[in-house]
Amino acid sequence: MANSEEVGEAGDERIPAKRVLGLAVPALGVLAAEPLYVLVDTAVAGHLGAVPLAGLALGGVVLSQVSSQLTFLSYGTTSRTARLHGAGRRADAVREGVQATWLALAVGLVVLVAGQLLAWPITRVLSGSDEIAATAVSWARIALFGAPMILVTMAGNGWMRGVQDSAKPLRYVLAGNGISAVLCPVLVYAAGWGLEGSAIANVVAQVISAALFLRALVRERVPLRPEPKVMRAQLGLGRDLVLRSLAFQACFVSAAAVAARTSTEAVGAHQVVLQLWTFLALVLDSVAIAAQSLVGAALGAGASRQARGVAGQITKYGLLLGCVLCVVFAAVAGVLPHVFTSDPGVLAEIPHAWRFFVALQPIAGVVFALDGVLLGAGDAAFLRTATLASAALGFLPLIWASLAFDWGLTGIWTGLSLFMVLRLVAVVFRWRSGQWAVVGAVRTA
């Protein structure tokens, strides 16, 4: 049989699991670092009371738009870089990272200015309460100073994943978030800065990580000048990923707004469960990150059978991991919420969302795995359409019906469940069709 480590060998449809793990485990560290930090932040703020926790929830929604809407800087860069790397063009692959970094800095400055101007009206609309809005906006306006650095880090992760260097990004992200996690409770409690202290710690994390990624790019010794042609091509892929992200954020912003209008306790409970959901989504996405790199490299090298084999492996791994997470978080349902809040009202609301959160893990495992496969193949147009349709038919109608009929967190999380089921049907159909496996150093169809 052909050597399974050689991507281009005919008939080689699978690769060793240790190679997937070699990329997935460091990627898990990178993916988990940010939500772990947010969980620490949530735990710190949760013990300040229900209003600061609600303020963090809404302020976090505002900040999360930065990374959520601009995922092409990481996922799109990985797709393009991996194909070039698979074709043996490493210097060109790294140049994709240079251009993504220029885009990150430019867009980040625009986001910073716009965020300062719009933070109050956005949080006021979302919260329906002046008290919660004031708390949220004070946190968001500080945290937004880290926006350009968040985007630089995303671009850095993107090109490094594409060239299958997953160790350095792990070190860089852990350096920033590790220092910040220690600093957060010090600033919040010891310094007496309250919720604003957590925002300052957040900015510190982003500055440290971004500086390390910039240093790594300089050390590659490739031209650092802007190349508008390459950036335009990246923006073309980015358009579909941005529209896809807008669908996600329309759903999650709506969910936060409906939860806030249900009660302060409901929005606090939603924040706790949503952050756990986000964390586990990224845990599941760790194998998908490996798929992005491996699928892109295989297609760049012309090995479509290899790409299909990776897709099948990653799907199985995602399902298995999702089942494990389902069992684990069902077992800790009575204990884990107390880590994040001691407020009795918030704790009473959490079970309404928790049962959905647990049951969705196996479905999420498959969906996120296949998302990684299709993103690695550059099949962003299909993912855009599937996500928009799932949001319009599933999540959004049930969220707003929850507000109209007072279904609370049960209605909100029922909407999320339908959203995930519809996405599952779409990505499985696409995977089985094989139409995503387009070979070449640059995707042309």
Side-chain angles (χ1 to χ4, degrees):
M1 182 177 178
N3 184 349
S4 63
E5 292 292 335
E6 296 178 5
V7 173
E9 289 288 340
D12 185 5
E13 298 183 356
R14 294 176 62 85
I15 60 173
K18 66 179 182 180
R19 190 173 172 198
V20 177
L21 290 174
L23 292 169
V25 172
L28 173 59
V30 173
L31 291 168
E34 183 64 23
L36 273 175
Y37 173 74
V38 173
L39 288 174
V40 170
D41 210 12
T42 301
V44 172
H47 293 286
L48 291 173
V51 171
L53 183 59
L56 176 63
L58 295 183
V61 166
V62 173
L63 185 64
S64 71
Q65 303 311 299
V66 176
S67 55
S68 299
Q69 296 302 332
L70 300 169
T71 52
F72 75 92
L73 288 168
S74 55
Y75 293 112
T77 302
T78 296
S79 174
R80 292 174 57 85
T81 301
R83 282 179 177 266
L84 291 165
H85 179 67
R89 296 164 55 183
R90 180 185 169 90
D92 288 336
V94 176
R95 285 170 62 194
E96 290 283 339
V98 172
Q99 304 314 309
T101 301
W102 279 114
L103 280 175
L105 289 168
V107 174
L109 290 174
V110 173
V111 168
L112 173 58
V113 173
Q116 298 299 324
L117 296 174
L118 298 175
W120 171 255
I122 290 173
T123 54
R124 182 64 183 82
V125 168
L126 290 176
S127 68
S129 161
D130 285 339
E131 184 180 19
I132 295 175
T135 303
V137 77
S138 66
W139 184 91
R141 280 182 168 155
I142 296 171
L144 279 165
F145 281 96
M149 301 299 101
I150 291 173
L151 300 186
V152 167
T153 295
M154 290 172 62
N157 270 299
W159 73 262
M160 284 190 167
R161 289 170 185 166
V163 299
Q164 298 187 16
D165 183 354
S166 55
K168 290 190 185 74
L170 176 59
R171 294 200 298 268
Y172 299 164
V173 172
L174 287 180
N177 286 337
I179 292 171
S180 188
V182 174
L183 190 60
C184 180
V186 172
L187 296 181
V188 170
Y189 296 125
W193 293 353
L195 198 60
E196 287 80 4
S198 82
I200 294 170
N202 190 288
V203 173
V204 170
Q206 307 306 338
V207 169
I208 293 172
S209 296
L212 293 171
F213 278 108
L214 289 171
R215 186 183 67 174
L217 202 56
V218 170
R219 287 181 172 180
E220 288 285 334
R221 299 187 182 279
V222 297
L224 298 178
R225 64 181 179 276
E227 297 181 34
K229 182 178 179 180
V230 177
M231 286 190 277
R232 282 196 297 270
Q234 291 178 341
L235 287 171
L237 178 60
R239 177 194 60 226
D240 291 328
L241 293 178
V242 167
L243 288 172
R244 176 174 177 263
S245 297
L246 282 170
F248 284 125
Q249 295 313 306
C251 292
F252 288 110
V253 169
S254 295
V258 171
R261 283 164 172 77
T262 301
S263 69
T264 300
E265 290 75 18
V267 73
H270 181 68
Q271 164 72 0
V272 170
V273 182
L274 183 61
Q275 290 306 323
L276 285 168
W277 168 266
T278 302
F279 171 61
L280 293 191
L282 296 181
V283 171
L284 292 167
D285 210 26
S286 63
V287 289
I289 293 299
Q292 282 185 260
S293 180
L294 294 168
V295 166
L299 293 175
S304 62
R305 294 186 68 180
Q306 178 86 62
R308 291 187 179 94
V310 171
Q313 285 178 264
I314 295 300
T315 302
K316 293 175 183 176
Y317 297 160
L319 176 60
L320 177 61
L321 185 54
C323 290
V324 170
L325 293 174
C326 175
V327 172
V328 169
F329 281 84
V332 299
V335 178
L336 189 58
H338 293 269
V339 174
F340 302 104
T341 183
S342 54
D343 187 281
V346 175
L347 289 170
E349 287 285 343
I350 285 177
H352 297 303
W354 194 274
R355 59 180 178 268
F356 293 98
F357 159 70
V358 169
L360 282 172
Q361 294 309 310
I363 294 173
V366 174
V367 171
F368 298 145
L370 286 175
D371 274 357
V373 169
L374 298 179
L375 284 169
D379 199 14
F382 174 82
L383 287 173
R384 171 207 65 205
T385 302
T387 305
L388 287 169
S390 299
L393 297 173
F395 206 160
L396 289 172
L398 279 173
I399 287 175
W400 293 108
S402 297
L403 179 62
F405 298 105
D406 197 25
W407 292 339
L409 292 184
T410 298
I412 291 171
W413 282 78
T414 299
L416 174 59
S417 300
L418 181 56
F419 177 63
M420 292 300 298
V421 169
L422 292 173
R423 287 178 63 202
L424 175 68
V425 172
V427 295
V428 168
F429 175 81
R430 185 64 167 182
W431 165 48
R432 300 298 295 174
S433 76
Q435 295 176 6
W436 51 273
V438 179
V439 298
V442 178
R443 183 182 173 95
T444 57

